[in-house]
Amino acid sequence: MSVASSPERSVPRVLADAVDLARDAVVALHEGGVGDYLGVAYEDEWAATHRFTADLAGYHGWQWAVVVAAYPESDHATISELVLLPGPDALVAPEWVPWNERIRPGDLSPGDLLAPFPDDPRLVPGFMATGDPVVDDTALEVGLGRARVMSREGRLDAAERWYEGDHGPDTEMAKAAPSTCGLCGFYLPLAGSLQAAFGVCGNEMSADGQVVHAEYGCGAHSDTLLPTGGGSPRYDAYDDGAVEVVTVTTSQTPDTTETPETTETPESPSMQDSTSSS
């Protein structure tokens, strides 16, 4: 709780003593809970602002500010204004941003309407039709005849986004590709000034329908060649269900520390005959 500052000599004392009056004003209007008294600030010699902690759910750190007023010779003060204000540690909403500055790419849903900004630098006025079929057909091909067409700034902005996007020349896919989109049979170049650098991929197995840079590439290039060789070795079909599970028991190893008994080797018959004859 802060201590109320002492009023100046020219300020009526009744302004400083109007703490209870200010508190009762908040309670009487049923605006919400009133907490601790925070102090008083003098606006001038006729007015002072008493502040109280706002005891309201969801308004942490907010304060009730009650302005009281009195003439220098007056013996009582009156309520001039009551307002709920954020304090130094108040929880406040972020700064409001207009909707047209909050919208981002991908926010547009089916049925939504999004008009271009007034004086959008990406657009410039087009030209009206001349009535000559040859001239009008050529004009429509390059974009003339529409109410507005993309300006040079708009085209450069789009080109920069596409260059740095997922289908630009510096992506991992492009670096690992065998060739570039500019040499691919599925590459459909754009018309106009962007034709030299950008086109649309027509390969359904790759970036189908996406704008790609001419130096972008992927493994589905029209000139891609499969690696040579016989491929993976062929094996017979293996049926997991036909495997017979056998439990193998480990036999005990005989004790090899015992000394084998010494046995006499019988003499052969020839040796017995030679001994008996002698």
Side-chain angles (χ1 to χ4, degrees):
M1 179 187 300
S2 62
V3 179
S5 59
S6 300
E8 300 177 0
R9 293 181 180 180
S10 59
V11 177
R13 186 65 192 180
V14 295
L15 295 179
D17 296 338
V19 177
D20 293 336
L21 176 65
R23 183 188 299 273
D24 293 341
V26 181
V27 176
L29 293 177
H30 302 287
E31 293 291 346
V34 184
D36 296 334
Y37 180 61
L38 300 177
V40 60
Y42 297 95
E43 311 299 337
D44 52 36
E45 57 181 322
W46 297 291
T49 301
H50 293 275
R51 292 180 178 269
F52 304 87
T53 300
D55 189 10
L56 297 173
Y59 284 84
H60 175 74
W62 285 63
Q63 304 173 359
W64 290 112
V66 183
V67 181
V68 295
Y71 287 104
E73 296 82 9
S74 177
D75 59 353
H76 67 278
T78 58
I79 300 298
S80 177
E81 187 177 4
L82 186 153
V83 66
L84 182 65
L85 296 176
D89 301 325
L91 179 64
V92 296
E95 183 179 357
W96 184 80
V97 180
W99 70 268
N100 56 352
E101 297 180 15
R102 295 195 306 267
I103 194 168
R104 292 292 180 268
D107 292 344
L108 195 65
S109 301
D112 292 343
L113 299 177
L114 179 62
F117 304 131
D119 301 326
D120 193 326
R122 299 172 301 172
L123 297 171
V124 293
F127 295 91
M128 299 299 295
T130 64
D132 186 337
V134 177
V135 175
D136 291 344
D137 290 345
T138 303
L140 289 174
E141 182 178 351
V142 298
L144 303 179
R146 290 174 286 171
R148 284 187 283 185
V149 295
M150 290 193 72
S151 63
R152 182 176 183 274
E153 181 178 351
R155 295 194 301 272
L156 292 177
D157 186 33
E160 183 177 358
R161 290 197 312 271
W162 297 342
Y163 183 91
E164 297 177 353
D166 296 337
H167 302 105
D170 294 332
T171 59
E172 294 299 324
M173 180 71 78
K175 294 177 181 179
S179 186
T180 61
C181 289
L183 302 176
C184 181
F186 298 108
Y187 182 73
L188 305 172
L190 296 181
S193 59
L194 298 177
Q195 180 178 11
F198 297 98
V200 176
C201 177
N203 188 349
E204 62 179 338
M205 304 305 294
S206 184
D208 189 29
Q210 303 293 322
V211 176
V212 295
H213 193 273
E215 297 299 321
Y216 177 73
C218 70
H221 194 279
S222 61
D223 296 335
T224 298
L225 299 177
L226 294 178
T228 59
S232 302
R234 181 179 178 179
Y235 295 96
D236 294 333
Y238 183 76
D239 186 1
D240 292 342
V243 177
E244 180 181 359
V245 180
V246 179
T247 302
V248 179
T249 58
T250 304
S251 60
Q252 296 182 353
T253 305
D255 188 359
T256 58
T257 59
E258 297 180 358
T259 303
E261 296 180 356
T262 304
T263 56
E264 296 181 356
T265 304
E267 297 179 353
S268 60
S270 60
M271 294 179 66
Q272 293 177 357
D273 293 341
S274 61
T275 303
S276 59
S277 58
S278 60

